[in-house]
């Protein structure tokens, strides 16, 4: 059977598999194992579904399936349900590059028909023609973590006609195999060369770049350089505070109408995908920002191809919430921006007075409620002397709009505990100490 026949068969298999309630489907499509989620909820824009391609990073060992890894820990499903969005998680084919299921970002001669680019583009083509999925070609986005982010950047530059937005978490740069490249001009020229005759589509593309401040593998400066290069390509010259990401953590650039580029540096986060919820592991952080939720909201509100934010943005108080932990104290902060029918999306109104913060202790399932004043559009609240454990904070704006922080983890180290030390010292001994 030829490749087109294989794609068609896989597509038919997926249609048959999605007739029941929403669940993840695993299909062989475009030469890759792909995990696909089609929610039961209705699409938000134009009665057609957005498509989010999300690429895993290199895996911790050769046996780990990257797509399953991202499905289990990436925390995409709640956001897909909210927006009626299809999520597709491909596993890099043939074991990937460099021995650990990596996407191959290092070559400098990328084209649509070589390396792993051809696989992902064929996947998008197959999903767009699948009538059961009802994909809007103006709402196709690509995101990725680590080597997957490097691959997403390559594809965003190769195919700006296909991808309306790209979300890059800890990305490699373009035009070099040096992860520490800070040459914005090289990234810009390489991206423009990759686009070829499709450079005009950069006029409507957006890019989000995110990294942890404690990333020990990818320099923060590389991410800032990528952001600067994309802002230059998009001719987004006006630096502003983002409406979808905490402004204290970075910068955004607009073209006078839409946010086009946003750079976010998450405090204390290491080399990890900012899942912001779910189970989490060493490579998927649940204690900080929910990147799937924030980047999807940002894509929808700044997609020039749909004009969604010009006509159909919800008339609500827009809330961004984040947290930082210092010992037994947590600082919850963010902003609330009001909108009304006479204002374009994202325009601030006058000061809104009070935000309510609900702090849930996930172990005891008890909630304490706090209030804090909003100065201009910003708020900040410190809560001290918390017991060790995991918490979740929900910020409620005056109109009832709610936004959650990631998991807040308090590690209350009270000093040396002899009995704990004694137990750990003899944990692997065969002796039994019934008094411990």
């Amino acid at each position: 059977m030829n490749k087109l026949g294989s794609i068609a068969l896989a597509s038919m298999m997926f249609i048959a598999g999605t007739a029941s309630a929403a669940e993840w489907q695993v299909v062989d499509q475009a030469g890759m194992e792909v995990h696909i989620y089609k929610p039961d909820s209705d699409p938000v824009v134009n009665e057609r579904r957005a498509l989010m391609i999300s690429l895993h990073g290199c895996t911790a060992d050769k046996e780990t399936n990257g797509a399953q890894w991202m499905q289990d820990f990436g925390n995409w499903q709640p956001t897909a349900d909210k927006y009626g969005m299809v999520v597709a998680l491909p596993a890099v084919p043939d074991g990937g590059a460099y021995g650990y299921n990596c996407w191959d970002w290092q070559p400098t001669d990328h084209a649509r028909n070589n390396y792993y680019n051809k696989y992902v583009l064929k996947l998008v083509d197959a999903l767009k023609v699948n009538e059961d999925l009802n994909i809007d070609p103006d709402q196709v986005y690509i995101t990725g973590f680590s080597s997957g982010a490097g691959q997403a950047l390559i594809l965003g530059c190769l195919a700006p006609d296909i991808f309306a937005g790209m979300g890059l978490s800890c990305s490699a740069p373009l035009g070099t195999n040096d992860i520490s490249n800070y040459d914005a001009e090289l990234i810009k020229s390489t991206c423009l060369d990759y686009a070829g005759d499709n450079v005009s589509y950069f006029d409507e593309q957006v890019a989000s770049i995110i990294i942890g401040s404690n990333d020990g593998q990818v320099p923060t400066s590389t991410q800032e350089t990528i952001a600067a290069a994309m802002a230059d390509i998009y001719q987004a010259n006006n630096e502003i505070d983002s409406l979808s990401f905490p402004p204290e953590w970075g910068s955004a650039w607009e073209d006078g109408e839409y946010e086009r580029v946003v750079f976010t540096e998450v405090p204390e986060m290491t080399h990890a995908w900012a899942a912001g919820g779910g189970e989490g592991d060493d490579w998927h952080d649940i204690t900080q920002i929910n990147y799937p939720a924030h980047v999807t909201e940002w894509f929808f509100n700044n997609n020039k191809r749909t004009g969604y934010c010009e006509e159909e943005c919800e008339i609500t108080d827009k809330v961004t919430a984040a947290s930082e932990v210092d010992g037994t104290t947590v600082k919850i902060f963010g902003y609330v921006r009001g909108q009304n029918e006479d204002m374009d999306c994202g325009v601030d109104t006058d000061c809104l007075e009070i935000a309510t913060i609900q702090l849930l202790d996930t172990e005891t399932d008890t909630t304490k409620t706090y209030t804090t004043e909003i100065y201009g559009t910003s708020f900040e609240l410190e809560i001290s002397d918390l017991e060790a454990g995991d918490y979740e904070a929900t910020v409620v704006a005056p109109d009832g709009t709610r936004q959650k922080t990631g998991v807040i983890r308090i590690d209350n180290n009270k000093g040396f505990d002899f009995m704990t030390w004694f137990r750990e010292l003899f944990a692997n001994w065969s002796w039994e100490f019934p008094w411990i």
Side-chain angles (χ1 to χ4, degrees):
M1 182 180 293
N2 61 31
K3 291 184 178 179
L4 288 176
S6 299
I7 291 174
L9 177 59
S11 183
M12 291 171 61
M13 292 171 62
F14 178 72
I15 291 172
T18 53
S20 59
E23 58 184 13
W24 287 94
Q25 303 288 325
V26 180
V27 301
D28 182 6
Q29 199 152 52
M32 299 180 291
E33 178 183 315
V34 186
H35 294 224
I36 301 177
Y37 182 75
K38 175 192 170 187
D40 287 335
S41 52
D42 293 331
V44 171
V45 181
N46 299 336
E47 299 182 349
R48 302 191 68 183
R49 298 189 185 279
L51 170 63
M52 182 70 71
I53 306 292
S54 194
L55 307 179
H56 61 82
C58 301
T59 56
D61 55 64
K62 298 178 182 180
E63 289 72 35
T64 298
N65 181 300
Q68 187 67 53
W69 203 29
M70 183 62 86
Q71 176 185 325
D72 290 343
F73 300 109
N75 197 32
W76 273 113
Q77 188 168 329
T79 297
D81 288 335
K82 177 178 179 180
Y83 290 94
M85 177 177 70
V86 173
V87 176
L89 312 175
V92 66
D94 303 323
Y98 322 124
Y100 286 89
N101 300 303
C102 300
W103 299 90
D104 196 1
W105 59 270
Q106 291 194 11
T108 58
D109 61 341
H110 283 276
R112 288 195 187 215
N113 61 357
N114 67 5
Y115 303 113
Y116 298 129
N117 308 313
K118 59 185 178 182
Y119 293 94
V120 179
L121 292 175
K122 286 179 180 178
L123 171 63
V124 173
D125 287 342
L127 298 180
K128 286 197 300 185
V129 299
N130 186 329
E131 294 182 359
D132 182 65
L133 296 180
N134 187 29
I135 301 298
D136 182 352
D138 288 334
Q139 298 183 70
V140 178
Y141 308 107
I142 188 164
T143 58
F145 166 58
S146 197
S147 71
Q151 180 69 73
L153 174 58
I154 291 163
L155 285 162
C157 289
L158 285 172
D161 55 315
I162 293 176
F163 297 108
M166 49 183 168
L168 315 175
S169 173
C170 320
S171 177
L174 287 177
T176 176
N177 59 11
D178 180 6
I179 197 71
S180 299
N181 170 56
Y182 308 142
D183 188 343
E185 281 301 318
L186 177 61
I187 296 172
K188 175 185 175 182
S189 62
T190 304
C191 187
L192 291 172
D193 287 344
Y194 283 174
D197 294 338
N198 292 304
V199 291
S200 63
Y201 288 94
F202 285 131
D203 292 344
E204 299 176 339
Q205 192 185 66
V206 295
S208 163
I209 298 94
I210 186 170
I211 192 170
S213 65
N214 289 351
D215 193 314
Q217 299 188 34
V218 178
T220 302
S221 298
T222 300
Q223 309 308 289
E224 293 174 315
T225 304
I226 295 171
M230 297 313 300
D232 199 6
I233 290 172
Y234 298 157
Q235 299 181 32
N237 302 316
N238 185 24
E239 188 170 352
I240 60 168
D241 289 342
S242 174
L243 295 179
S244 295
F245 290 86
E248 297 88 346
W249 292 0
S251 300
W253 292 264
E254 66 169 5
D255 58 6
E257 186 178 8
Y258 290 87
E259 290 184 32
R260 303 294 305 283
V261 177
V262 59
F263 167 72
T264 307
E265 182 179 346
V266 182
E268 308 302 323
M269 192 173 77
T270 58
H271 187 71
W273 172 263
E279 296 183 13
D281 64 3
D282 290 343
W283 308 101
H284 299 80
D285 185 278
I286 64 173
T287 66
Q288 295 282 2
I289 192 172
N290 183 331
Y291 189 55
H294 282 263
V295 76
T296 302
E297 175 194 89
W298 189 76
F299 283 157
F300 272 60
N301 286 349
N302 293 285
N303 187 334
K304 299 180 75 170
R305 300 177 188 186
T306 65
Y308 165 65
C309 208
E310 291 180 352
E311 299 178 0
E312 300 184 48
C313 279
E314 295 180 4
I315 309 304
T316 61
D317 291 335
K318 195 168 185 60
V319 184
T320 294
S323 64
E324 293 179 0
V325 174
D326 182 8
T328 62
T329 298
V330 60
K331 180 174 73 172
I332 300 167
F333 62 96
Y335 57 77
V336 179
R337 285 183 166 91
Q339 300 168 358
N340 61 47
E341 296 179 359
D342 298 324
M343 291 189 172
D344 293 334
C345 178
V347 178
D348 295 356
T349 63
D350 294 335
C351 175
L352 302 169
E353 294 181 353
I354 298 293
T356 301
I357 298 177
Q358 300 169 346
L359 186 67
L360 170 67
D361 184 330
T362 60
E363 181 176 350
T364 62
D365 198 29
T366 57
T367 300
K368 291 184 178 180
T369 301
Y370 305 83
T371 59
T372 184
E373 292 184 349
I374 304 169
Y375 295 93
T377 58
S378 299
F379 67 87
E380 180 178 311
L381 175 69
E382 287 194 357
I383 304 172
S384 302
D385 300 323
L386 292 171
E387 296 293 330
D390 289 349
Y391 299 81
E392 287 184 358
T394 301
V395 178
V396 185
D399 75 340
T401 305
R402 306 165 74 86
Q403 182 65 261
K404 289 185 177 181
T405 65
V407 174
I408 299 168
R409 181 157 293 157
I410 301 295
D411 182 11
N412 189 356
N413 186 355
K414 298 181 179 179
F416 180 72
D417 186 327
F418 174 79
M419 294 307 294
T420 299
W421 169 84
F422 193 72
R423 290 190 186 97
E424 292 176 352
L425 179 64
F426 291 97
N428 296 320
W429 288 36
S430 59
W431 306 345
E432 292 185 4
F433 299 92
W435 59 87
I436 296 177

